Amino acid sequence: MGYGIITQELIDIMMRAGVTFYQPDGQTPRTGPVRVDLTRLIRRDTLLTHPPANVTDGLRVLGWADEVLDVLRRVIRLLAREVALASLLPPAEPHPTQLRSMA
């Protein structure tokens, strides 16, 4: 449907620029306004009249992915806050096993 609207806008621009549109015979200039028959376009658009059977499943998967990504975004944000808070704390004392390896 959107491509029909865009096509009509392009036709209008071309008409204002002086482009001549012809009848289907390719010889006879068209008279009057050139209009996209949107009703015919919708009737012949198989994506609208016979949508793919898997659209519902695809939308369901996209919804699930959106939820999962939102949860991951929240977890990452929480971890980033904890790392930022940890950087404000004084350094921890080394663990005794670390002291032995330093000696």
Side-chain angles (χ1 to χ4, degrees):
M1 179 69 193
Y3 50 86
I5 295 168
I6 291 171
T7 301
Q8 185 62 62
E9 288 300 315
L10 288 172
I11 289 170
D12 293 345
I13 291 168
M14 291 170 71
M15 289 181 73
R16 285 194 299 269
V19 173
T20 303
F21 287 85
Y22 294 92
Q23 297 292 340
D25 66 9
Q27 302 296 321
T28 311
R30 290 180 71 159
T31 58
V34 177
R35 294 282 167 233
V36 173
D37 184 351
L38 293 176
T39 303
R40 179 176 177 264
L41 185 67
I42 291 169
R43 195 172 52 246
R44 295 180 55 97
D45 188 339
T46 57
L47 192 57
L48 295 173
T49 58
H50 299 92
N54 65 352
V55 167
T56 303
D57 291 335
L59 290 175
R60 205 174 287 135
V61 168
L62 287 174
W64 171 83
D66 182 47
E67 288 178 25
V68 168
L69 291 174
D70 188 51
V71 168
L72 289 175
R73 182 181 52 83
R74 290 179 188 180
V75 168
I76 290 169
R77 190 178 290 159
L78 179 66
L79 289 174
R81 270 193 223 133
E82 287 195 22
V83 167
L85 288 175
S87 68
L88 298 175
L89 297 174
E93 293 294 322
H95 191 269
T97 57
Q98 290 175 327
L99 292 175
R100 275 187 249 140
S101 65
M102 295 173 143

